[in-house]
Amino acid sequence: MEIFDDLAAELDNLDRILAGLDEKAWLAPSAAAGWTVTDVVLHLAQTEESVASTVAAGHAAGPAGSGPSGGLLALAGAAPGTSVDDAVDAWVRRERAAPDVVHARWRAARVASVAALRAAAPATPLAWAAASLRPAALATTRLAEHWAHALDITDPLGIPFPDTDRLRHVAWLAHRTLPYAYGALGEQAPALRCALTAPDGVTVWEYGPADAESSISGPVGAFCRVGARRLAPDAAGLIAEGPDASRALALLRTYA
């Protein structure tokens, strides 16, 4: 499937960036609070290893979307009730290592992860962070997470990281998970149409019903950065129209 090829391409791009870093850059602070660049890559290695483990473990308990049995938090060794953010931060702190060790670990993990997702039965729900996901959806979240954390690495180091057409997957994920974002507050997500301009400046990608009362339009890169919580909605330059658009933009997120 296309998503697996695009995930592999996103990981290849990050690997090219990491291969060009010197030790000073590896040990520099990232944009992820409290983490160095090495810590960010360690987190990605840990979660990629978790993908392969999750696929190997088979389907989650219950239908897709019903909530995972085990999944990422279990693999992180988190106590019941621990938030995803706290669990992964503690996990990174327990397993910190030298940059070359971490880089090698991530490289091995990302190859195994993509191979596992490609080989998984397409309809099988797999336990993950906040819900069970089918392989293509899990691959989409992995692409989105690697893209967001690549921003955490490249922005502080001043490394160019241009937007690509792979952001269509990140935008789809942000739009698709609006019910989760609203549901966390006990609310029902409204219908929302998004018309987002691709990196080529011409193509427009559309998500949601065409007749929705509320809509968001503008550059896909800005939309995805808002969803990844790397850009404040009021600084994104996006156009939010209709009764529910501004709130939807504020709640937009691409991760659990």
Side-chain angles (χ1 to χ4, degrees):
M1 294 175 66
E2 181 183 28
I3 180 56
F4 301 129
D5 291 340
D6 283 349
L7 172 59
E10 191 68 28
L11 302 184
D12 286 344
N13 189 40
L14 178 56
D15 202 9
R16 284 190 291 270
I17 292 168
L18 297 177
L21 301 183
D22 58 20
E23 185 174 8
K24 181 179 179 181
W26 275 96
L27 298 177
S30 75
W35 283 2
T36 65
V37 169
T38 304
D39 290 335
V40 171
V41 180
L42 173 57
H43 165 64
L44 293 174
Q46 291 168 330
T47 47
E48 286 303 273
E49 290 167 350
S50 299
V51 171
S53 296
T54 293
V55 174
H59 66 82
S66 67
S69 172
L72 182 63
L73 292 180
L75 291 164
T82 305
S83 72
V84 175
D85 286 346
D86 288 345
V88 298
D89 183 62
W91 196 8
V92 164
R93 293 178 186 279
R94 287 197 305 271
E95 297 186 356
R96 279 176 166 148
D100 59 333
V101 173
V102 169
H103 192 189
R105 181 175 174 178
W106 174 77
R107 277 179 158 167
R110 67 103 159 184
V111 170
S113 169
V114 175
L117 288 169
R118 287 187 190 275
T124 300
L126 302 167
W128 197 238
S132 53
L133 303 173
R134 290 185 172 87
L138 182 50
T140 304
T141 69
R142 300 312 301 149
L143 191 158
E145 182 163 16
H146 276 84
W147 172 78
H149 281 308
L151 291 173
D152 294 337
I153 293 169
T154 57
D155 281 357
L157 296 176
I159 297 172
F161 189 64
D163 292 343
T164 73
D165 281 355
R166 294 187 293 275
L167 287 184
R168 67 190 183 280
H169 300 295
V170 183
W172 174 86
L173 180 66
H175 183 271
R176 180 67 181 82
T177 54
L178 273 172
Y180 167 78
Y182 275 87
L185 299 174
E187 302 176 24
Q188 185 165 349
L192 180 75
R193 175 179 175 268
C194 295
L196 306 172
T197 306
D200 65 9
V202 177
T203 306
V204 175
W205 296 325
E206 297 186 3
Y207 308 87
D211 60 351
E213 273 191 277
S214 300
S215 66
I216 298 172
S217 59
V220 70
F223 181 82
C224 292
R225 284 169 173 80
V226 171
R229 304 295 172 92
R230 267 63 177 183
L231 181 63
D234 59 3
L238 296 164
I239 300 171
E241 298 179 305
D244 301 304
S246 293
R247 179 158 171 76
L249 193 57
L251 294 179
L252 200 69
R253 60 190 301 163
T254 56
Y255 61 93

